[in-house]
Amino acid sequence: MKTKTLGRDADCDIVLDHESVSRIHAQIRLTDEGYLAVQDANSGNGTFLNRNKQWIRIKKVVLGTEDRIRFGEEEIPLQKLVEAFGGHQRVRLREGYSVRGKPLVFDQHLLDLPKPRIVLENPRRNPITGNIEENR
């Protein structure tokens, strides 16, 4: 598993010069399968994931193609995390995409896998967004 550090410290692999970012804020890893994963390093201002148009504070997550990531108040594109592993290293994102260097590329064998079916027990339509959600 390959690991990179992200933070304000000049010795980090990815340096973010923002006061809300801790000296060593997070670790960026490649899983054994090559997926891009982020783990918060007990940062003061947290690491946040935007998935399904909602920001949530995370400790550890494997990233998908539609995700956005924020360290403290500093949002950075997924491409910047991918580039930290260099163009020769294959980096995969969930949901059927693979990234190698700069361009996004379809990973054909992942497209052939069946998509999981999500069944909501008590669905309702959100009156504000119009999205179907599960009642709690």
Side-chain angles (χ1 to χ4, degrees):
M1 189 178 332
K2 304 205 180 245
T3 304
K4 304 287 183 179
T5 56
L6 179 143
R8 232 180 33 241
D9 193 284
D11 290 334
C12 288
D13 298 297
I14 302 171
V15 178
L16 298 179
D17 187 22
H18 193 275
E19 66 273 0
S20 68
V21 176
S22 298
R23 281 176 48 285
I24 298 177
H25 197 99
Q27 292 182 334
I28 315 301
R29 302 175 191 257
L30 288 182
T31 66
D32 292 336
E33 299 83 19
Y35 287 105
L36 190 62
V38 173
Q39 182 169 355
D40 186 79
N42 296 320
S43 63
N45 291 317
T47 300
F48 297 86
L49 175 73
N50 187 305
R51 186 172 280 171
N52 300 323
K53 300 178 183 173
Q54 192 172 38
W55 286 105
I56 54 172
R57 189 170 185 162
I58 57 102
K59 284 292 182 185
K60 184 177 183 180
V61 68
V62 175
L63 296 172
T65 57
E66 301 297 317
D67 291 340
R68 293 168 51 200
I69 192 87
R70 192 178 83 210
F71 303 94
E73 296 174 14
E74 187 74 7
E75 183 178 350
I76 67 168
L78 295 181
Q79 192 64 39
K80 186 169 183 174
L81 301 181
V82 169
E83 289 170 354
F85 291 94
H88 62 280
Q89 182 69 44
R90 181 183 172 121
V91 178
R92 297 169 68 188
L93 298 172
R94 296 276 169 147
E95 301 175 34
Y97 287 89
S98 179
V99 180
R100 187 188 311 238
K102 294 188 179 183
L104 290 175
V105 178
F106 277 107
D107 208 0
Q108 188 59 44
H109 76 278
L110 290 176
L111 292 174
D112 298 334
L113 295 175
K115 300 283 186 206
R117 186 167 173 235
I118 299 171
V119 178
L120 299 176
E121 296 289 326
N122 298 308
R124 73 172 182 91
R125 188 167 299 278
N126 184 312
I128 297 171
T129 64
N131 294 336
I132 294 176
E133 301 173 341
E134 184 173 359
N135 286 337
R136 296 177 196 241

